[in-house]
Amino acid sequence: EAGVVQSPRYKIIEKKQPVAFWCNPISGHNTLYWYRQNLGQGPELLIRYENEEAVDDSQLPKDRFSAERLKGVDSTLKIQPAELGDSAVYLCASSPGQSDTDTQYFGPGTRLTVL
Amino acid sequence: GQNIDQPTEMTATEGAIVQINCTYQTSGFNGLFWYQQHAGEAPTFLSYNVLDGLEEKGRFSSFLSRSKGYSYLLLKELQMKDSASYLCAVMDSNYQLIWGAGTKLIIKP
């Protein structure tokens, strides 16, 4: 069974430029998460989807970040415009959505460097 | 506020045993997860504890004491490939995972 797929794996942009990340969750997983992880820290939740509905976006910086999950499968996370402090690894995770305590399975992440 | 504490770094010898501790203070408790994360890779699930006691899974075991807000991950017969960061995460009353900063484990021959 394929795991969570993310692209690109690496992205280098200049500040003020836009950037987008794509995630394809494990087949059949209804819940999808976007996290941001800085070096030497644990992941920080940005947004959680149940199917196509964003059920927790309280920690998403909405002035520059946006996300969508059309048709309740793939998802994209966008930053516009990017700032130097946005440099981090952006992780996507999915879980079956059958229980609130389901295990989350992570993709390889996108390492973003903003110059 | 919510807080997860674990040591920043630990060193152990190949073939030995190491215990990585995690203490937590969260708004509610719906279980504790341990994940392994190799450098530059995604976190991978190791264990889930929601009841007090020890859960054993091969060379890895995880212990939970809810009354003490404490967990540990025990790794036996250490191998070089066990060099990684180990992340402790608690699911709070809103079913959101609160993550520790991770413990970097260095295995020496």
Side-chain angles (χ1 to χ4, degrees):
Chain A
E1 180 182 293
V4 176
V5 179
Q6 290 187 248
S7 68
R9 291 295 313 275
Y10 304 92
K11 189 73 177 178
I12 301 174
I13 60 172
E14 294 192 347
K15 63 181 180 182
K16 301 184 181 179
Q17 294 300 305
V19 64
F21 315 123
W22 175 80
C23 173
N24 180 245
I26 293 173
S27 177
H29 280 197
N30 297 323
T31 307
L32 184 146
Y33 312 78
W34 281 104
Y35 286 92
R36 175 170 60 189
Q37 186 176 26
N38 290 301
L39 191 64
Q41 297 183 23
E44 169 196 359
L45 179 69
L46 294 173
I47 190 168
R48 175 168 65 101
Y49 282 94
E50 297 287 347
N51 298 302
E52 65 273 10
E53 182 182 358
V55 296
D56 184 357
D57 64 355
S58 57
Q59 299 182 74
L60 187 73
K62 299 182 182 64
D63 57 335
R64 297 184 301 108
F65 287 63
S66 64
E68 61 181 12
R69 192 184 184 198
L70 301 175
K71 301 181 181 179
V73 181
D74 294 1
S75 177
T76 57
L77 177 69
K78 298 178 182 178
I79 309 175
Q80 183 171 13
E83 297 179 351
L84 295 176
D86 296 332
S87 294
V89 176
Y90 290 83
L91 294 165
C92 179
S94 70
S95 64
Q98 296 170 355
S99 166
D100 289 325
T101 57
D102 280 341
T103 297
Q104 297 178 25
Y105 297 90
F106 286 81
T110 298
R111 182 176 297 276
L112 173 67
T113 301
V114 182
L115 302 176
Chain B
Q2 308 203 88
N3 196 47
I4 310 286
D5 284 318
Q6 47 181 136
T8 302
E9 187 174 297
M10 299 181 70
T11 302
T13 304
E14 190 176 15
I17 298 173
V18 71
Q19 177 175 312
I20 302 174
N21 296 325
C22 171
T23 57
Y24 62 89
Q25 291 179 308
T26 56
S27 302
F29 180 84
N30 281 299
L32 185 145
F33 293 79
W34 283 97
Y35 280 78
Q36 179 191 61
Q37 187 174 27
H38 286 99
E41 298 183 13
T44 56
F45 170 74
L46 290 177
S47 67
Y48 171 68
N49 295 67
V50 68
L51 300 176
D52 289 352
L54 187 68
E55 296 273 347
E56 297 186 74
K57 193 184 294 185
R59 295 189 299 113
F60 292 10
S61 302
S62 56
F63 171 83
L64 175 67
S65 169
R66 289 172 297 172
S67 63
K68 295 182 180 179
Y70 168 70
S71 172
Y72 67 72
L73 181 69
L74 190 71
L75 291 75
K76 303 177 184 176
E77 301 169 16
L78 285 170
Q79 301 174 10
M80 297 304 293
K81 68 178 182 179
D82 297 330
S83 292
S85 287
Y86 292 85
L87 297 161
C88 173
V90 173
M91 188 164 279
D92 69 9
S93 57
N94 294 319
Y95 297 96
Q96 182 174 135
L97 278 180
I98 309 302
W99 294 82
T103 298
K104 183 178 180 181
L105 178 62
I106 300 169
I107 309 296
K108 295 185 175 180

